[in-house]
Amino acid sequence: MKLAILGGSFNPIHIGHLHLADSALSVFGFDRLLLVPANISPFKQGMDCVESGTGPEDITVPAECPGASATDRLDMILASITADPRIAVEDLELRRGGVSYTIDTVKEIINRYHPEGKPALILGDDLIADFSKWKDAEELAGIADIIVARRIAGLKKIKFPYPYHVLNNEVMDISSAMIRERITKDDAGSKAWHYLVPGGAQIIIKSRKLYQAIQQKEKDTDNRPKSKANREITAELIARVEEEARLTLSAKRFIHSRNTALMARDIAFRYNLDADAAYLAGIAHDMAKNQSTSLDHGKKAAVLLYTRFNIHNKDVQEAIEVHTTGKPGMGDLAKAVFIADKIEFSRSGEHSKLRDMIAGKAAENTSSLDELFYTVLKSNISWLKEAGIKASKKTLRLLEEK
């Protein structure tokens, strides 16, 4: 096995790290590349986390890298490389504890992996100036093939006293420090960090509220009380359910489900409901559509959510169960999802006035949730009648309830 090693703090991992890994794999034909997150150990206060490589060796990453624990960093890496057999994660430095010396790491990897020839050690050109200060630098250069990757734009000449190869990779002007700074300013409206990190890492950052100010704006402006059941709904959980829906449904049906989720979320914000619960119910409401063409696919989807994802939220369950027919006495979240399912943007244009009511663009923008619900209900019953479809008894009973 031709093996390469890429170390760093990965705090957080970002697309620059993965692009670099992909470039090394493609250019040099390695069978596998190991991502090695550095251990967290205390040293001079005020020093930042090492961004790439596994050194320099006269310092280590601080006891508390800003905003993320070793477990967080490891989880973000694992969530970012799913289904790529070329890349593996080696947590030996985290397990070993203490100061992480690259010479020790490379020796342990050689002893355990028995690579074909020397393993390659990928270093950024921003680290090579201090390489001679690393522990046993000469021995390290003898047991590993050094690959110098470009991280400094415009650097033309490399001064390095040991044999090395150059990876002529594209320089991406991204750093973990830059991403952390952007996230901490997220409450000021700076959202331009989301797609600098892989989707899996992004979900973990949001769900665990890493890097200090993440979601601060939403916290400050959203004073709605959350029930214990609602707090179980996390970004990670929603992502799992959404991926299941994407894999299960046709592209057309999934687009409808996602539009329903987004519309339900907008309605929830407008009427002071739980936006996360609304989105979850919206994305999951048609998950059993392929298993049933009848009106009971909502009940089957609710059971699926309970059995496969262990979601016990009664409001979400109800919203999914009755999204097609409604029922007397249904709760506000169920009404929001019922509305969203009927008027989301992939539906016909006749619902534009109702959408404007939700967006606050129409003169009727002061309508209550109940008023909007019954307007949509009547519109849906009229549509069914014109299509020659008999409305269910539950649906008709809702008109009596009003």
Side-chain angles (χ1 to χ4, degrees), residues 273-308:
L273 307 177
D274 189 314
D276 291 336
Y279 187 93
L280 176 61
I283 205 68
H285 79 286
D286 271 354
M287 282 179 68
K289 190 73 171 179
N290 291 348
Q291 303 172 22
S292 173
T293 57
S294 65
L295 296 179
D296 69 351
H297 70 271
K299 290 183 178 180
K300 291 184 177 180
V303 171
L304 183 66
L305 215 60
Y306 183 92
T307 56
R308 185 171 299 181

Side-chain angles (χ1 to χ4, degrees), residues 326-377:
K327 73 171 185 178
M330 61 196 289
D332 286 347
L333 189 75
K335 291 176 181 176
V337 174
F338 181 92
I339 295 167
D341 178 48
K342 305 301 183 290
I343 69 171
E344 56 87 7
F345 286 97
S346 68
R347 298 293 196 185
S348 61
E350 65 189 65
H351 297 305
S352 59
K353 290 183 179 179
L354 297 173
R355 296 180 193 128
D356 285 347
M357 289 172 67
I358 295 168
K361 295 179 181 178
E364 305 96 325
N365 62 6
T366 58
S367 298
S368 68
L369 177 63
D370 279 346
E371 289 171 329
L372 179 60
F373 172 73
Y374 284 108
T375 300
V376 172
L377 176 66

Side-chain angles (χ1 to χ4, degrees), residues 20 39 54 72 78 98 123 127 174 248 287 294-295 302 324 334 358 388:
L20 176 57
N39 184 54
T54 51
D72 292 328
L78 292 170
L123 303 175
L127 293 178
I174 303 170
T248 302
M287 282 179 68
S294 65
L295 296 179
T324 302
I358 295 168

Side-chain angles (χ1 to χ4, degrees), residues 36-213:
V36 185
N39 184 54
I40 298 180
S41 301
F43 77 115
K44 299 178 189 176
Q45 190 172 359
M47 295 291 286
D48 198 359
C49 295
V50 178
E51 294 293 351
S52 64
T54 51
E57 300 292 323
D58 55 345
I59 64 170
T60 60
V61 290
E64 292 298 334
C65 279
S69 67
T71 299
D72 292 328
R73 293 186 292 122
L74 182 60
D75 287 348
M76 284 189 282
I77 297 171
L78 292 170
S80 300
I81 59 169
T82 53
D84 190 342
R86 304 173 305 160
I87 301 177
V89 178
E90 180 52 75
D91 65 346
L92 65 90
E93 292 188 358
L94 301 180
R95 288 185 286 103
R96 190 168 59 209
V99 178
S100 298
Y101 291 111
T102 305
I103 184 68
D104 298 332
T105 297
V106 173
K107 284 182 176 179
E108 185 173 342
I109 287 173
I110 291 173
N111 289 335
R112 285 204 282 118
Y113 288 83
H114 300 288
E116 176 186 333
K118 298 178 182 178
L121 179 63
I122 302 172
L123 303 175
D125 53 15
D126 54 337
L127 293 178
I128 58 174
D130 291 320
F131 183 84
S132 61
K133 300 178 182 177
W134 292 19
K135 179 183 177 183
D136 299 331
E138 188 168 347
E139 182 183 2
L140 177 58
I143 64 173
D145 284 332
I146 306 296
I147 294 178
V148 178
R150 299 173 63 222
R151 280 177 56 90
I152 304 175
L155 183 65
K156 295 180 179 179
K157 201 167 185 180
I158 296 174
K159 295 181 180 180
F160 195 63
Y162 307 102
Y164 67 93
H165 305 280
V166 174
L167 176 60
N168 192 27
N169 57 293
E170 180 183 356
V171 177
M172 302 186 75
D173 190 17
I174 303 170
S175 72
S176 297
M178 178 193 76
I179 293 170
R180 292 195 303 269
E181 182 180 4
R182 290 190 180 194
I183 293 173
T184 59
K185 292 180 179 179
D186 203 28
D187 60 318
S190 175
K191 299 281 187 180
W193 66 270
H194 293 81
Y195 293 105
L196 296 179
V197 297
Q202 181 189 138
I203 290 166
I204 290 173
I205 290 170
K206 290 180 177 179
S207 182
R208 302 183 190 180
K209 299 182 180 179
L210 303 180
Y211 309 114
Q212 300 169 22

